[in-house]
Structures are given as C-alpha cells and as structure tokens.
Amino acid sequence: MLDGVSLDQLRTFIAASDEGSFSAAARLLRRSQSAVSEMVAGLEAQMGVMLFDRTGRYPQLTVAGRVLLADARGVVAGVDFMKARAKGMSSGLEPELSVVVDVFFPMDRMTAMAAKFRETFPHTPLRLYVEALGGVFQPLLDGRAGIGIAGPLPDLPPSMSSEALGDIRFLIVAAHDHPLARIDGVIPREELARHVQLVLTDRTNLSAGKERGVMSPLTWRLADLYAKHHFLLGGLGWGGMPLHTVRADIDGGRLVELRIEGIAHGGADMPMTVVYPTTEPPGPAGRWLIDRLKLCPAGCIRR
C-alpha cells in the first residue's frame, strides 16, 4: 500500500501540521476542508498508523505523526530538489561544478566566491580540488574537473584553453633567525646557493624537467604548501611564498623578506589563469564563476 502514497498526500499532511488545522490547510492549498480530511485519512490508511489525534478541537500530531512528518518533509524536499536540478540541466546548467585551484590562489577569495555561488546556484553542488603546479591540470585532463585556476606553467597542455585572471604577489622569505635574514642589503645569488632552498614539488609529471625559481643546488622538496610554510617558520630553509599566506608572519616578525640580487624588493607578480578543456567549455555556472573572479577589483586577488 505504501507504493501508492503520493506527493500530494505528503504535502497535505505537512500543510495540516504546519497550519494547525485541516481548515487552515485547506485555505493554504485552496481545497475544501473535506478534501484535506479525506487526503489525510487516506494516507493514514495506507500507512497503517494514525497521524493525527482528532479528539480535541484541533487535530494534534500523534507520536507516529511527529516521526513520519520529518520523513515526509525529507521526501518532498528531495523531490523538489530533483525537479529544480533537472530544470537547470535541461537549460544547460551543470549538474555539478568541479573546480581545481592552484594552492597559491587565495582561499579566502575562493570562499567568498563560493558563498555567492551557493546563493546563485543553490541546486548545483561544488566540488573543489586544491593542487600545485601540474597537479592543477591533471584533474582537467582526466575529466575529474571542468575548470582550473592555475599558476604559471611552462607549457599549457594543447587541449586546454586559458583566460587571464590576475596576479598574486610572490616573495622570497626566511625565518627571522635564519642566516640569510641577518644579511644587510641585497643577497648575492652565490650566497643563496650555500643554503637549503625549500621548493614546492609537483605531484604529477607534467612539469618534469621544467624547474622555475630554483636558485640553490641544495633543495628540500615538499608537495604541500602548508608543510613548506611550517618548514620556513622552523628555519629549515628559505623559499618563495605567496604574500597573502605569509603577510601575518612578516608583520609579526616571524618571517622576513629576503632582498635577492635580480629580484625587486617587495616581490614579483605571478599571473593566475583560468583553464578548461577547449572541447568542453564552461556551462552557465562555470562561466558565472569565471566572470565573477575576473570582476575582482584590482589587487584583490593578491591580498
């Protein structure tokens, strides 16, 4: 008998509970009170339990009614969600938006954008990967993600299209008590070569043999920016970091910017790029995300 339960019955059950009476539910649903009463009675008969106690002036939920009311709400909400998602898909909206973000990109910026995304596309779930270097491209190449926010890579995979997004500020830093931090003025490159450089390494082979910014033969390689940050704070080496990740440490005196020969004081700009498969361009949700990131005021990506 439960196979015959209809959404109309469940919505009527919910309305009768929320409105406090069958007559109020009838006004809400624009039906007669007798029709609402019959609908609820039919649902009770099909389920084999009493949902309302009718001995008083107004019907009151029974213990079973309170339990099943939560289930009814879940069923109706699930169907409404499915209908909304299907409507979006029929108009070309992605059923899910999968994005892979370079670890250098400011996560507070992405968080703020995700909040706006949820308001605009409440029925489109967001899947987010955070990777470094070539790791940004791998989920795009194997189909796990549709959009990437990438830092500079020597060669963009030929199957990808790209759009400029903006720059982040990149600094060379070391712990306040590191030997390099005690050097006044510009540090010669030969001096850098005497100390361990902490280098973010690629989890994939996409950047194999294409090193960027390595200035010391003494390198420790880490596949995680969080670990690199802590190693820098621990005085285990020197290395480059996005300004937004170390600003508080610099302001607090835990890290210092190193003035390197050939590198301007205050760091350098690192371009960030949106990438996606050329044959599968972003749908409405993906394009909305890209366009909003491009609308970021000048300098906001760096912060």
Side-chain angles (χ1 to χ4, degrees):
M1 293 296 290
L2 290 178
D3 289 342
V5 172
S6 69
L7 283 173
D8 198 19
Q9 287 177 305
L10 296 180
R11 293 186 194 278
T12 302
F13 170 35
I14 293 170
S17 173
D18 290 347
E19 297 301 310
S21 71
F22 293 163
S23 59
R27 288 192 294 272
L28 176 69
L29 299 173
R30 297 183 178 180
R31 296 181 177 178
S32 67
Q33 181 175 338
S34 61
V36 169
S37 298
E38 290 175 6
M39 189 79 70
V40 173
L43 180 60
E44 290 174 323
Q46 286 176 279
M47 290 187 167
V49 296
M50 294 299 293
L51 300 173
F52 290 97
D53 179 356
R54 298 169 175 80
T55 57
R57 181 177 180 182
Y58 297 105
Q60 300 293 322
L61 284 172
T62 62
V63 173
R66 286 194 294 271
V67 173
L68 294 174
L69 178 63
D71 293 336
R73 292 189 194 279
V75 171
V76 171
V79 172
D80 288 343
F81 183 86
M82 181 181 69
K83 289 165 63 178
R85 178 179 287 184
K87 181 179 180 180
M89 292 170 66
S90 67
S91 65
L93 184 66
E94 304 92 322
E96 178 183 81
L97 185 63
S98 295
V99 182
V100 55
V101 181
D102 192 294
V103 69
F104 287 160
F105 191 81
M107 194 49 63
D108 58 349
R109 176 66 184 163
M110 182 55 64
T111 302
M113 191 57 58
K116 295 178 182 178
F117 178 87
R118 184 176 62 178
E119 295 175 1
T120 308
F121 301 98
H123 303 298
T124 302
L126 179 66
R127 184 185 297 269
L128 188 69
Y129 301 93
V130 180
E131 296 289 350
L133 305 172
V136 173
F137 295 91
Q138 196 61 56
L140 298 171
L141 293 171
D142 62 26
R144 287 182 292 126
I147 297 174
I149 299 176
L153 192 72
D155 297 306
L156 183 71
S159 61
M160 297 291 159
S161 295
S162 65
E163 300 178 28
L165 184 58
D167 300 329
I168 62 170
R169 181 70 67 173
F170 202 74
L171 302 176
I172 307 296
V173 297
H176 69 96
D177 55 354
H178 190 279
L180 290 174
R182 301 192 186 105
I183 298 177
D184 292 329
V186 177
I187 303 173
R189 299 239 173 178
E190 55 267 24
E191 182 62 28
L192 290 177
R194 299 189 181 99
H195 301 271
V196 170
Q197 180 178 0
L198 301 177
V199 178
L200 192 67
T201 191
D202 199 336
R203 300 177 191 269
T204 73
N205 294 322
L206 292 176
S207 61
K210 302 171 184 177
E211 303 234 283
R212 295 176 61 90
V214 177
M215 293 178 272
S216 173
L218 308 173
T219 59
W220 284 15
R221 298 179 182 271
L222 304 95
D224 181 78
L225 191 66
Y226 180 80
K228 181 179 178 180
H229 189 183
H230 277 263
F231 275 36
L232 286 166
L233 289 169
L236 297 176
W238 62 273
M241 290 289 285
L243 174 58
H244 62 269
T245 64
V246 296
R247 186 190 299 275
D249 297 307
I250 293 174
D251 292 343
R254 295 177 293 276
L255 293 175
V256 298
E257 180 188 359
L258 302 181
R259 299 187 61 183
I260 308 299
E261 179 185 2
I263 298 178
H265 181 61
D269 287 336
M270 174 182 289
M272 302 299 293
T273 306
V274 175
V275 294
Y276 48 83
T278 302
T279 58
E280 298 181 42
R287 175 47 56 188
W288 181 95
L289 182 69
I290 293 171
D291 290 344
R292 293 314 181 279
L293 287 173
K294 286 183 176 182
L295 288 174
C296 171
C300 76
I301 293 179
R302 301 181 187 180
R303 290 198 290 268

